[in-house]
Amino acid sequence: FIKCIEMLRSSAGAPNLHLQHINPHIDTDGYPAHFETELTDWGFNSGLTGVSSFGFGGTNASLVFKALD
């Protein structure tokens, strides 16, 4: 939650805490997502970010944040 708010505020992609390197057996070319391994300046602010949470009991939650002007 806080990470998403900070990403909106700074227009930068924060690295994933546990992602050191991407599995070389997964083809990510053309994949519609970014896997941040270091702080990345986006150069723009789309104004949207989101969080998903998946529980063991089947409970799922998603939040989408939109920046206010």
Side-chain angles (χ1 to χ4, degrees):
F1 172 79
I2 294 172
K3 185 176 178 178
C4 285
I5 301 300
E6 287 299 315
M7 289 168 63
L8 283 175
R9 190 182 64 77
S10 65
S11 299
N16 186 314
L17 180 63
H18 302 290
L19 179 64
Q20 301 301 320
H21 57 277
I22 297 173
N23 186 331
H25 300 288
I26 298 174
D27 181 21
T28 58
D29 292 334
Y31 193 75
H34 298 277
F35 301 97
E36 309 292 358
T37 56
E38 59 186 31
L39 185 62
T40 305
D41 182 12
W42 291 336
F44 68 96
N45 190 344
S46 69
L48 293 172
T49 187
V51 176
S52 293
S53 177
F54 306 100
F56 287 110
T59 302
N60 300 327
S62 296
L63 295 172
V64 176
F65 299 99
K66 183 176 186 323
L68 299 176
D69 294 329

